[in-house]
Amino acid sequence: MSAEPLEICLEEQDLGRGLRDDVRTGLAATPKWLPPKWFYDARGSELFEEITRLPEYYPTRAERSVLAERAGEIAELTGAKTLIELGSGSSEKTRLLLDAFTRRGGLGTFVPLDVSVSALRQSTAQLAADYPGLRVRGIVGDFTRHLDRLPAGGRRLVIFLGGTIGNLLPAERADFLADMRAALEPGDWLLIGTDLVKDPAVIVPAYDDTAGVTAEFNRNVLRVVNRELGADFDPEAFTHVALWDVEQEWIEMRLRAERRVRVRVLDLDVEFAPGEELRTEVSAKFRPERIATELTVAGFTAHEFWTDADGLFGVTLARAD
């Protein structure tokens, strides 16, 4: 069965408008910030795939080990007819679930949602070829804005992997989970991956590898702004910084100006003092009780919580009340 034509909820002009709005707001703020979604042009996606294979970067391996062990159980517990993946990318880890559902039988439709048309077109074509009995229906959209476009009907399982929920600030996370619950029917399921609180000596190197791949990934956001908005950032004038915030229990990625930097972007003249930092990502780490509480507040009941053998990463299966 071939993949269905992509459903487009997010046009190129929407992405351009969003980037302009974020740059205008974030670079005028104190302290300055840019959201992490702008890392992921084609080059940024390649760099992130490289990051996931680095020895320091444990989250991908740890989450994969949980899914490899629990995929059959997830298929049996949920009995889902429709599997929906938010921020799907290549859907590589999702194949562990698709294989388990294929063995069990009953899954009819897979719906990956991602902002990248090219990535989605490539992945849906490959998945349709590899799972010929499965209806593959890609949606080009933003998981913070387009949950109302998820297909209705049947028993649904929504998966949100990779610890991506940690990139949302607490208020954003609460809004996302509430919107997620509003998009589901009672009895539908949510599978969510969360990186866990642990020794910062393990966490920080995952965001500051010795090969410098994460540093290049971080600076890539400046290259995206240069290309898309005609800015004149010198990416090499900024040093990659990864810091553990003990109180918030999150890692922050920043770009630190090594000298005085003046940038022209849109109609803004932006100045960075020597040592001034631009925050590009927050990645929250969780404790199991916090995950369960946030899900409960949003209208879910956490049914299962699994970790890898080393207790580095958690996967929670929750049901919509």
Side-chain angles (χ1 to χ4, degrees):
M1 187 182 297
S2 61
E4 296 186 4
L6 300 181
E7 179 181 343
I8 309 294
C9 303
L10 193 65
E11 301 282 358
E12 284 296 324
Q13 57 264 34
D14 297 322
L15 289 170
R17 189 181 309 115
L19 177 59
R20 289 193 297 273
D21 289 347
D22 285 341
V23 165
R24 192 179 299 278
T25 302
L27 295 186
T30 304
K32 297 179 177 69
W33 57 267
L34 288 173
K37 64 183 176 181
W38 303 118
F39 288 136
Y40 296 96
D41 64 349
R43 177 57 178 154
S45 297
E46 290 174 1
L47 285 167
F48 184 72
E49 287 300 316
E50 190 175 343
I51 287 168
T52 66
R53 296 189 291 269
L54 293 170
E56 298 97 330
Y57 195 79
Y58 62 85
T60 300
R61 291 188 298 275
E63 185 178 44
R64 184 192 306 278
S65 74
V66 177
L67 295 175
E69 183 177 358
R70 301 294 181 174
E73 192 173 347
I74 292 165
E76 288 297 329
L77 283 169
T78 64
K81 306 298 183 185
T82 299
L83 183 63
I84 300 165
E85 182 175 16
L86 306 182
S88 55
S90 64
S91 295
E92 187 179 346
K93 282 179 289 191
T94 313
R95 288 171 176 268
L96 295 166
L97 292 168
L98 291 174
D99 289 345
F101 276 101
T102 298
R103 289 192 296 271
R104 181 187 182 276
L107 183 70
T109 304
F110 176 54
V111 183
L113 181 149
D114 199 87
V115 296
S116 171
V117 173
S118 58
L120 205 53
R121 185 169 287 124
Q122 181 177 348
S123 66
T124 55
Q126 190 61 57
L127 287 164
D130 293 345
Y131 299 90
L134 192 64
R135 179 187 179 198
V136 180
R137 173 187 169 190
I139 299 177
V140 178
D142 183 334
F143 62 74
T144 65
R145 295 170 48 199
H146 297 118
L147 293 179
D148 60 336
R149 303 297 290 270
L150 300 184
R155 180 176 293 189
R156 294 174 292 178
L157 168 62
V158 177
I159 62 175
F160 192 34
L161 301 176
T164 305
I165 194 167
N167 296 144
L168 302 176
L169 295 172
E172 296 170 334
R173 202 161 60 237
D175 289 344
F176 165 77
L177 289 172
D179 291 345
M180 184 76 261
R181 176 60 190 87
L184 297 179
E185 299 292 334
D188 285 338
W189 296 87
L190 173 64
L191 186 74
I192 190 162
T194 48
D195 199 2
L196 300 179
V197 174
K198 63 188 74 69
D199 187 342
V202 176
I203 297 173
V204 174
Y207 296 83
D208 194 12
D209 60 278
T210 56
V213 181
T214 309
E216 278 304 296
F217 176 68
N218 197 5
R219 282 190 287 265
N220 194 62
V221 73
L222 304 182
R223 297 187 174 95
V224 169
V225 174
N226 281 351
R227 184 185 66 246
E228 298 298 328
L229 302 182
D232 58 358
F233 276 104
D234 175 7
E236 301 310 315
F238 291 83
T239 298
H240 168 67
V241 177
L243 295 173
W244 174 246
D245 187 316
V246 175
E247 289 188 8
Q248 299 289 348
E249 294 189 323
W250 65 39
I251 196 93
E252 284 196 17
M253 289 208 319
R254 304 176 186 175
L255 290 168
R256 177 182 295 153
E258 289 303 298
R259 54 176 170 79
R260 187 170 300 280
V261 177
R262 291 184 175 87
V263 180
R264 179 69 178 175
V265 54
L266 300 173
D267 56 355
L268 302 175
D269 288 304
V270 182
E271 184 167 308
F272 290 81
E276 184 177 355
E277 294 175 342
L278 168 70
R279 189 180 76 191
T280 54
E281 182 177 87
V282 163
S283 184
K285 309 307 171 189
F286 294 83
R287 299 179 187 273
E289 58 272 20
R290 180 176 167 191
I291 302 163
T293 297
E294 292 191 12
L295 286 166
T296 298
V297 169
F300 293 91
T301 297
H303 274 254
E304 301 289 342
F305 176 77
W306 301 292
T307 71
D308 59 288
D310 296 319
L312 300 173
F313 199 95
V315 175
T316 302
L317 180 65
R319 192 171 188 180
D321 297 334

